[in-house]
Amino acid sequence: MATALLGTERRPVSVPRPAGPLGETLARLDESDGEGALLGAAATVALWQRAGRLAPADTGPLPEPSPPEEAPRVSPAAGERLAGLLEGGHRRLLGEWLELAAAAGRRAPEEQLPALLDLGAHRLDLRLPVLAVAGRRGPWLGGQNPGWAWAAGIDDADRTWATGDPDGRRLLLAHLRATEHRRGLELLASTWGSEAPEDRAAFVAALATNLSDDDEPFLEAALDDRRKEVRRAAADLLARLPGSRLAGRMAERARALVTVDGRRQRLAVSPTVEVDAAARRDGLEPGRGAGERGRLLQQVVAATPLRTWTDLLATDRVPEVLRLAEASDHQGELLAGWTAAAARQRDPAWATALMERVDAPSLVEALPSDQAEAAIAARVADGGLAAPGTLPMLLHLPPPWSAALSTEVVDALARQAGRPPAQPGAHALRQALPELALCLDRSVARRAESILTGADHWWARSLQVFLDLLTFRWEMADELGR
C-alpha cells in the first residue's frame, strides 16, 4: 500500500512471502518489474481474499423449501431489461419497471432476486415495489439471509412489529397504512409508549397515508410528546383534518386575529399571536427578528379550516374572501396561509381561486387529477412551457400524466424548440427535459420522435436525451404488456 501511494520510483516493491499457497504464488512475481509486481500482488491478494477460503460447514437442518410460485415470470426481454437497470443503465427507471410488472401480475426472474433484495436493503422507497414482484420466493429468501430480513417481515406482521429492526417496522407500517390503515394504527398504538424517540416522528409521519378522523385521538395525544419533531409531525397531520380539535383551536385563534371591518370592504388583521404552552403544543413556532408576527399569522391561517373564512363572511364564494384580503396590510401572509391550507385540506374550490392569484405548485395537490391536468394544460396551451410558474406546477403533478396532457406538452415543446433559445425560461425548460420524459404518458413517444427530431442545435442534445428516455420507457412497458 505504501508503494502504491508513493510510487515504485520512490519506494521499491517488496512483495510479502506468507507461508502456504498464497506465498508460493506471490514468489513467482518478478520484482525487477516494479509496476508489474505491485499490480500482480494486488490482484493475487484480492483473488485470494474472495475465493481462497473454504466456506464454513453448516450442520443445521435444511430450511423448508420456498412455496411454489403462483404469478408467471416476466418475458425474457423484460427480464433482460431489468438486469440492465440493476447494473446501472437508466437506474432511475427501476421503480417504474417494478410498478409495471406488478400491475401486469408478473414476477421478476429468480436470478434477479438477490440483486433486487440487495436494492431493497438500501432503498426504503423501493422495498414495497420489490416485494410486489418478488413472488413467493422473495419473502422466503428474506428468511434465509439476515441482510434481506426486511423482505420477510410483511408476511408476519405481529412478529415483525415486535422484533423487527426500525427499517423493517417502518416498511410494515407503510404497507399496513396502504392496505389496512386501522390495523397499522392499532399496532403503532400498542407499542407507542416503548418506541425509541428517534422512531416516533417517522411513525407518526407514516399515518399520512389514508389519514382519517379515526387517527385524531392518537395524534392529539402525540402533541404531548417530549420530542419537538413528533409534535410537529402530529400537528401537521391534524391540520389536514378540518374536524379535528386542533383545527378548532386554530379557528378560534384565527377569528381573534382576522375580522371584517364595519363596511365589509376589507379584512382587518391584528397579527398578535400569543405563543403560550398551548400554542406551542399545537405546533406554532415563533421565529426571531423582523416579520415574526407575520410568520405566526401565516402558521395559524395555514392550520385553520377553510370554511372558517367563508362562514366569517357569510358567503360560499371563495373569490369574495380573497378580494377582501387585497386591501389588507397582511395580504401576503393570508395568501400564503390559505395556499398551505388548501393543499393540506385538499379543497378544490380554494385551490382553483388561489391559482388565479399565486403560482404555488402545491395547489395542484388539492385538485382532482383531471381538474389539475385540465388547468395546467390550459396554461401550457396559452403561454407555453416556459411561461413563469408553469413548469414547476407541471412537474408537481403526480406521474404518469394523461395522454391528452402529454400530447399538449410535447406539442408545446416542439413550438418552444422552434423559437430562439434566448427566450426567458428556455434554459430552465431545457434542464427539465429529462424529468419531463419520466412523467409523460409513454404513448406519446412516437409523436415526440416525429415532431422533435431536427430541432435547433441548442436544443438537439437535450432533446435526444429526452427522446431516448421516453422511447426506453415505451419499450419497457411494451415488454411488460402494459
Side-chain angles (χ1 to χ4, degrees), residues 36 84 104 152 157 170 195 220 300 322 335 350 365 374:
R170 290 178 192 177
E195 296 295 346
E220 179 71 24
V300 170
L322 301 183
L335 286 176
W350 276 85
E365 303 171 9

Side-chain angles (χ1 to χ4, degrees), residues 111-132:
E111 59 270 23
Q112 303 299 340
L113 286 181
L116 283 172
L117 294 174
D118 282 340
L119 177 72
H122 299 96
R123 290 281 304 274
L124 298 183
D125 59 313
L126 290 180
R127 286 186 172 184
L128 290 177
V130 165
L131 283 179

Side-chain angles (χ1 to χ4, degrees), residues 383-392 395 413 416-417 419-433 436 458-459:
L385 291 170
T390 297
L391 191 59
L395 291 174
L413 182 57
Q416 184 72 40
R419 298 170 184 166
Q423 283 193 320
H427 285 275
L429 176 58
R430 188 174 67 168
Q431 291 178 340
L433 285 178
L436 286 175
W458 189 82
W459 289 95

